[in-house]
Amino acid sequence: MKEAGFPLGVLLLFGVAYITDYSIILLIKGGNLSSTNTYQELVRKTYGLVGYLILSTLQFLYPFIAMISYNIITGDTLTKVFQRIPGVGPDNVLTDRHFIILLTTIIFTLPISLYRDIAKLGKVRVVYFSVLQAVGVMSFAFICNHNSFLIYGSLEEPTLKNWSQVTHISVSLAAVISVVFAACGYMTFTGYTEGDIFENYCRDDNLATFGRFCYGVTVILTFPLECFVTREVIANVFFHGNLSTVFHIVVTVVIIAVATGVSLVYDCLGIVLELNGVLSATPLVFIIPTACYLRLSKERWNHSDNLISCLILAVGVLVMTVGFVLTILHPQECSHGKEMFYCFPTINEMFVNVNISHVSLLSFSFYKFYNLLTCIY
């Protein structure tokens, strides 16, 4: 929302939701046309080994970059939680994001990620041109294509009609929730909105501290799911789907070590989400489903499905290429964990006696207007 602006951001969210909805249904149509029941089989039958390897690369990158983002979130959130503990000062080791990331990796994420069976994780898991960059982040938020065949097969009556109904309801609900959260977050912090919204809240905010704690625990326990997917891709491509105990441990440790190393060096969540969006989510949502359908379709070239697929494919290629270049050339600004300027009381703020993270939009507007008049004076 910050990248695209408020009115256009809302339109883009609904636009990306529509494309996601359409591509998910198109994916199942492609599966029916090719008599396949997995994303990998569909691409392999349509574009051969090259297509399969490209899809495998994307399916590796998506969860791998997500793992990096989870570590960044852990470092951002839990350090501020520990700072609220009496006696823990700014120089305490518990406020060092590098220490927290390493600690949670060694104690939690690595041991849990060593499980072979993903079902066992259920016992542990508790809880402008910049418009193109915004579309990448939105694609990351809506992506679920890689799970579509699995969910389609779980329906009592796996028909295209039932699948379409499920998809419409699910994506519509996700779109409404996304718009509400994005709008509230952007209207509260406007141009100061961070990639990690918790970075916008002051350290002495008790509600935000509780939210950080819950969010930190959630991402720690979600991390192994992404590790499982990346390991599975490596096993399928290089080891024919079977890993010995030794290779299972080695591959897991290497994946987590590289992801942790990157997250220790880089701490800006916004650019990580943008890169994952334009490099992984956009091809998986925009490009591959439409390209497969266009190759399999027996309809005339001017059929609505073919025309819409061509349009979505072109948009996907544009977002992926231009979005990637812009993300590298014009990365999002990042607070690097520093307290936002409005968290430090000024004479004006003490006079108005407001808290930026809790005021209504109207109150916040009057507050900014008051500061503007003061500056002019």
Side-chain angles (χ1 to χ4, degrees):
M1 197 71 75
K2 175 189 173 185
E3 292 296 318
F6 180 68
L8 182 57
V10 173
L11 293 176
L12 280 177
L13 268 171
F14 283 114
V16 173
Y18 172 79
I19 292 174
T20 303
D21 180 283
Y22 190 86
S23 70
I24 292 171
I25 297 173
L26 208 63
L27 205 58
I28 300 302
K29 286 184 179 180
N32 292 339
L33 288 172
S34 60
S35 301
T36 56
N37 54 15
T38 69
Y39 205 167
Q40 292 88 347
E41 290 177 8
L42 169 63
V43 175
R44 187 159 199 162
K45 191 164 185 177
T46 309
Y47 289 101
L49 180 61
V50 174
Y52 171 76
L53 292 176
I54 292 174
L55 177 66
S56 297
T57 302
L58 294 174
Q59 289 187 315
F60 173 85
L61 282 176
Y62 173 75
F64 181 75
I65 299 177
M67 290 163 62
I68 296 173
S69 68
Y70 290 159
N71 273 339
I72 292 174
I73 292 170
T74 301
D76 287 344
T77 57
L78 294 187
T79 50
K80 292 181 175 60
V81 171
F82 289 129
Q83 287 180 25
R84 297 291 291 156
I85 299 175
V88 177
D91 297 328
N92 193 292
V93 69
L94 292 176
T95 64
D96 184 351
R97 66 180 299 274
H98 299 90
F99 175 78
I100 293 299
I101 291 174
L102 288 173
L103 182 68
T104 54
T105 298
I106 295 171
I107 295 179
F108 297 108
T109 55
L110 178 58
I112 299 174
S113 298
L114 287 171
Y115 277 124
R116 278 184 174 272
D117 186 2
I118 195 170
K120 293 181 180 179
L121 297 182
K123 301 176 182 178
V124 179
R125 195 167 179 220
V126 183
V127 293
Y128 332 116
F129 276 117
S130 59
V131 163
L132 297 176
Q133 295 167 269
V135 172
V137 176
M138 293 173 188
S139 300
F140 173 77
F142 281 106
I143 184 171
C144 54
N145 298 55
H146 53 304
N147 294 325
S148 296
F149 282 99
L150 180 64
I151 302 169
Y152 175 73
S154 70
L155 297 177
E156 283 188 16
E157 295 181 26
T159 63
L160 193 60
K161 180 181 178 181
N162 289 343
W163 177 247
S164 298
Q165 291 177 345
V166 170
T167 302
H168 294 331
I169 294 171
S170 303
V171 175
S172 297
L173 181 61
V176 171
I177 293 173
S178 296
V179 168
V180 170
F181 272 76
C184 290
Y186 177 71
M187 287 190 296
T188 302
F189 300 110
T190 60
Y192 302 109
T193 305
E194 291 288 315
D196 180 357
I197 194 68
F198 276 118
E199 289 294 281
N200 282 103
Y201 290 91
C202 302
R203 295 176 186 177
D204 59 356
D205 189 319
N206 292 326
L207 285 175
T209 299
F210 179 71
R212 290 187 183 105
F213 173 77
C214 294
Y215 195 33
V217 172
T218 300
V219 296
I220 288 173
L221 298 178
T222 305
F223 184 101
L225 291 173
E226 307 297 351
C227 182
F228 183 92
V229 176
T230 55
R231 186 176 61 221
E232 196 74 6
V233 171
I234 292 175
N236 290 334
V237 174
F238 297 103
F239 300 95
H240 305 289
N242 295 313
L243 287 174
S244 65
T245 302
V246 174
F247 276 106
H248 171 84
I249 295 174
V250 170
V251 170
T252 303
V253 171
V254 169
I255 291 172
I256 293 179
V258 175
T260 302
V262 175
S263 58
L264 288 173
V265 174
Y266 200 78
D267 64 349
C268 288
L269 182 62
I271 191 173
V272 174
L273 296 179
E274 286 184 2
L275 286 174
N276 208 6
V278 298
L279 292 179
S280 304
T282 300
L284 290 172
V285 174
F286 288 67
I287 299 174
I288 296 179
T290 53
C292 288
Y293 180 80
L294 288 171
R295 187 152 189 170
L296 294 168
S297 177
K298 301 292 193 298
E299 303 289 348
R300 291 175 57 86
W301 68 270
N302 59 351
H303 188 272
S304 59
D305 279 345
N306 289 340
L307 293 177
I308 296 175
S309 296
C310 287
L311 179 60
I312 294 175
L313 179 62
V315 171
V317 172
L318 177 67
V319 169
M320 183 178 178
T321 53
V322 179
F324 174 72
V325 172
L326 290 175
T327 300
I328 298 300
L329 295 180
H330 305 287
Q332 285 191 30
E333 294 182 0
C334 183
S335 67
H336 299 287
K338 295 179 180 179
E339 192 86 350
M340 299 299 287
F341 72 93
Y342 48 71
C343 293
F344 300 100
T346 64
I347 296 176
N348 291 338
E349 288 170 337
M350 287 186 286
F351 179 79
V352 179
N353 193 25
V354 296
N355 185 335
I356 192 170
S357 62
H358 292 144
V359 295
S360 65
L361 178 61
L362 182 61
S363 300
F364 183 47
S365 299
F366 278 116
Y367 169 62
K368 292 183 70 175
F369 180 66
Y370 169 80
N371 279 344
L372 177 62
L373 290 178
T374 305
C375 290
I376 294 174
Y377 176 77

